Amino acid sequence: MTQTKLSVILATATLLCFSTVSTAELGRDLTPLGAQAAANSAGTIPAWNGGLTTPVTGFKPGGHYPDPYADDKPKLTIDAANADQHKDRLSAGQIALLKKYPTWKMNVYPTQRSAVYPKAVYEATAANIGTAKLAAGGNGVTGTTAGIPFPVPKDGLETIWNVLLRYKGDTYAMTWNQAAVTRDGAYTLVRFEYEYDFSYSNVSKPAAEREPNKLTNFLQIVTAPARLAGQVLLVHETVDQVKQPRSAWIYNPGQRRVRLAPNVAYDNPGTAADGLRTSDDFGMYNGATDRYDWKLVGKQEMYIPYNSYKLGSNTLKYADILKPGHINPEHTRYELHRVWVVEATLKPGASHIYKRRTFYIDEDSWAIVVTDKYDARDQLWRVSEQHSMNFYDVPMYYGTVEVHSDLQSGRYIAMGLRNEESKVYQPIRRSAADFTPANLRNLGTR
């Protein structure tokens, strides 16, 4: 029996033991969000001690995040030559990347369980035990307005809804760049300005100002290159999608009109992504869950991108990161963590370019960190990795560079590039009135 299979079996046994978790167990045997608090038996994954809560010297609010682990040295390096030795702690997609690109490698550093969230999110998570429920058909959640709805999930649907409803900040703006990189390393940067206004789990907005059943209002404005500048996308995302599905609108500066955008969902192409990601690839997964059957496989130990402060640093230029075939591995950081494993299989009669997806979800943050995606022939097609770090002033564990690699075309798309931007995370004040279709025309021509 392989170590991976044994880990999944042991984790599944733990899952059954905690399937009736009490409020008292959160924060004792489990972290406040439901992760295993203790270290692993080998001591290679430490106990969770509350996460990283103190800003690093030199940090300025809104700016880039200095690396609290800059003095750490790699414990090992995984490449094509030794990938098989570590296969029990790698996904099929990670192994495929190592085998395809001799220049790709994974530098593995000491594990730092830095993830932390606001106290209000912890309190709401405890209150969700026994009250949060899946909506009819599983395409939504009821009985909660904040926190992780199912801190110890019983099945795949509960697990993916933990991912979708994890804390991702309150109301804020950020600017980042995207690059669809060709086989020879060429790319054109696409620059986006974003605004997010969360109602679910918003810890700074008064309850009276939060919209019922609203997860978030999301605004995306393309500012470069010139041929794309002025395109605006507005999305209203809900918690109970049975009661109220996602709504989306788009403003096209060439047509100078606002129109409904029902295609901003599922496997429709992502904005300016050159066909390298789908709409529901954004953020590793988003939107409705109704086209897949979701299976909770269990939990295992895995090498995943983590504490990616170096990759997000303003000491790097985009050209330092974007290389032919893959991002520059010298700037990445991998660690050993426990992850939930969820298998999503396309339902009979449903349509999607991905027949199957395997999601690997960090136990401490409920963020998807790796995804393997399979085509209609059930052949491995794409692999995605979310390089993340602790925004320790918020606090939240959040993505830096999100990479979707196409194993068949030899191309990839890198999203979330902020290295040459002056602002990383900027809290703002917004209300529901700021996220209406009527505002899109003004935003696109400002």
Side-chain angles (χ1 to χ4, degrees), residues 39 51 75 159 254 351 358 378:
K75 299 173 62 177
T159 308
S351 174
T358 304
D378 211 27

Side-chain angles (χ1 to χ4, degrees), residues 291-303:
R291 294 192 180 181
Y292 286 93
D293 290 319
W294 301 85
K295 178 183 178 181
L296 178 56
V297 179
K299 190 182 283 188
Q300 72 176 68
E301 295 179 2
M302 184 175 178
Y303 294 122

Side-chain angles (χ1 to χ4, degrees), residues 41-247:
S41 59
T44 49
I45 298 176
W48 185 76
N49 62 3
L52 177 65
T53 57
T54 304
V56 176
T57 301
F59 170 71
K60 296 180 179 180
H64 288 263
Y65 289 82
D67 187 355
Y69 310 117
D71 294 334
D72 287 357
K73 304 300 180 185
K75 299 173 62 177
L76 65 98
T77 297
I78 303 172
D79 56 20
N82 65 358
D84 289 340
Q85 300 174 29
H86 302 281
K87 63 183 180 181
D88 288 340
R89 289 177 170 173
L90 298 171
S91 80
Q94 290 176 315
I95 294 172
L97 283 173
L98 291 165
K99 298 291 187 181
K100 183 176 180 66
Y101 300 109
T103 50
W104 178 244
K105 62 182 179 179
M106 299 166 63
N107 290 321
V108 179
Y109 289 78
T111 299
Q112 307 283 358
R113 295 181 69 178
S114 61
V116 62
Y117 293 94
K119 181 180 178 182
V121 173
Y122 295 156
E123 293 172 345
T125 298
N128 284 336
I129 296 174
T131 62
K133 306 291 182 184
L134 289 175
N139 197 32
V141 178
T142 63
T144 176
T145 60
I148 296 298
F150 312 107
V152 179
K154 299 189 296 294
D155 55 40
L157 263 175
E158 288 189 350
T159 308
I160 201 67
W161 275 108
N162 286 347
V163 170
L164 295 173
L165 298 183
R166 73 190 186 279
Y167 181 75
K168 288 172 282 188
D170 293 340
T171 306
Y172 57 95
M174 57 174 49
T175 301
W176 52 255
N177 296 266
Q178 169 181 291
V181 184
T182 65
R183 292 172 66 95
D184 61 2
Y187 59 87
T188 297
L189 288 173
V190 181
R191 187 174 183 270
F192 299 92
E193 293 180 0
Y194 288 94
E195 289 189 2
Y196 295 86
D197 180 34
F198 282 87
S199 283
Y200 189 90
S201 281
N202 193 311
V203 301
S204 62
K205 182 176 288 190
E209 297 181 20
R210 298 197 292 268
E211 297 176 79
N213 194 41
K214 181 64 67 67
L215 171 57
T216 185
N217 294 318
F218 164 85
L219 192 65
Q220 176 195 76
I221 306 171
V222 182
T223 61
R227 62 183 175 83
L228 299 176
Q231 292 185 16
V232 187
L233 172 66
L234 171 65
V235 177
H236 292 176
E237 194 84 351
T238 57
V239 179
D240 182 352
Q241 297 190 14
V242 174
K243 180 179 179 181
Q244 184 182 6
R246 165 192 281 179
S247 299

